[in-house]
Amino acid sequence: LILQKGNKNSTDLNRNVLLEFTATVPTNVSVVNKYKDKIVYKFELKDFLKAGYTKEINLVSSSFDKKQRVLQALLFNWYRYKMGLKHNLPHFKPVILFRSKFVSDKQEENIGADYELFRNVVDNLEINDFAFINSIKIEPGNELYKKGQSRIVDITNYLNSENIPHNEIITYLQDAFKDHNCIITHSQEKPASGRRGEDKTTPEQDQLLNSLEDKANNITAIFTCMRLTEGWDVLNLYDIVRMYSGQNTGGKNKKKAGKSTVSEVQLIGRGVRYYPFIFEDNINNKRKFDKELNHELRVLEEFYFHSDNDEKYISELKLELKRQ
């Protein structure tokens, strides 16, 4: 009806054009064949990545326990905030997302338990809590470099060279990650809603989740299980921490990733959106330091997915990222 609007009779030349825009083109054969001769332009995530309009994706795997993975992500957060402050980026606020295995408190690794662990870590931070990072020694090409841990060494070197006291980091973290700065996407309130099998959020929470970049938005940490894998646009999400270990495989089909891995790749897709900022004469919404990897602001162009050291899981995650 829209396409034909304005045509008084069928002999009139139709000057209307109907265009369709989508971010997720289905891959089933019937849809592919239907649109084969209708695609005007195709620019997928891999194209955005190559063109420099996303953050760079980094997978960080380690033998750290859950508490240490949380501490590592918090340290990354402080470092990014520090760099933004140093280079006068207004209202810059990096956000961390923590992903739990289960929603129900009947299961051991659930959102509530993970948030309780997080609160215990942040509220009782001590200087000695960061001692584990000093054990990481790295040379280009070695195993730790391949596992994405070079940035933690850069941060450690920065702390030492600038002689920054750990108390400064603790003060920042305990202020930035207070209880009211965190969202748990599993609300028990009556207005809360969610798709079947997902966590439930209230309209107020949804409003906060969809305005994380705003100056007045105070949210710095999100705790979720099945929520936010699709249809969520956020620019200042820089770290996702997998709060559980092990692998959810594709079952009998060895070429197919498990549901958990696929949803984590979808979640990574939320985090790679570029946070625009002004720096000299560069384009503000495009990566600026691909040829200056040692520049301090490069860390604002990097997204990190923190997980355990499960080789099978990491391999599957990489394959699914490449596939998508």
Side-chain angles (χ1 to χ4, degrees), residues 101-278:
K101 193 170 187 177
F102 299 110
V103 171
S104 172
D105 56 11
K106 294 178 182 179
Q107 306 284 354
E108 187 176 343
E109 295 183 285
N110 62 75
I111 296 180
D114 285 338
Y115 183 65
E116 189 176 336
L117 178 144
F118 174 81
R119 282 263 56 91
N120 185 55
V121 169
V122 172
D123 296 341
N124 300 291
L125 273 173
E126 297 179 353
I127 294 173
N128 291 337
D129 287 333
F130 295 101
F132 72 96
I133 65 173
N134 294 319
S135 64
I136 302 175
K137 303 297 179 185
I138 192 166
E139 295 292 338
N142 77 4
E143 194 62 24
L144 288 176
Y145 187 85
K146 293 175 185 175
K147 292 178 180 179
Q149 292 185 353
S150 60
R151 181 57 74 185
I152 196 72
V153 177
D154 294 337
I155 295 173
T156 305
N157 292 337
Y158 176 77
L159 288 171
N160 295 332
S161 64
E162 299 293 323
N163 201 26
I164 295 173
H166 282 67
N167 282 332
E168 178 187 320
I169 303 172
I170 292 172
T171 300
Y172 163 78
L173 293 175
Q174 290 185 333
D175 183 60
F177 292 93
K178 290 178 180 176
D179 181 68
H180 68 270
N181 293 341
C182 303
I183 279 185
I184 301 174
T185 64
H186 182 49
S187 177
Q188 302 287 351
E189 294 181 33
K190 196 172 182 180
S193 64
R195 290 181 295 188
R196 187 177 179 182
E198 281 192 348
D199 323 24
K200 293 183 177 181
T201 49
T202 64
E204 291 77 16
Q205 286 180 321
D206 285 336
Q207 188 173 359
L208 286 169
L209 288 167
N210 286 293
S211 62
L212 288 168
E213 306 88 355
D214 292 358
K215 181 182 177 181
N217 189 308
N218 64 309
I219 300 302
T220 53
I222 302 159
F223 292 79
T224 187
C225 179
M226 295 300 294
R227 194 79 161 165
L228 308 176
T229 55
E230 294 183 85
W232 178 46
D233 288 308
V234 57
L235 304 178
N236 55 342
L237 176 63
Y238 280 93
D239 295 275
I240 293 178
V241 183
R242 194 175 193 250
M243 296 292 278
Y244 56 97
S245 303
Q247 180 189 24
N248 186 344
T249 62
K252 294 180 180 179
N253 187 351
K254 301 300 181 183
K255 295 182 180 180
K256 187 177 180 181
K259 288 183 179 180
S260 176
T261 308
V262 172
S263 65
E264 278 162 0
V265 168
Q266 291 173 327
L267 200 55
I268 287 171
R270 309 301 99 195
V272 299
R273 283 155 170 74
Y274 190 81
Y275 181 85
F277 60 92
I278 297 172

Side-chain angles (χ1 to χ4, degrees), residues 11 86-87 180 207 222 304:
T11 60
K86 181 178 179 179
H87 292 272
H180 68 270
Q207 188 173 359
I222 302 159
Y304 284 86

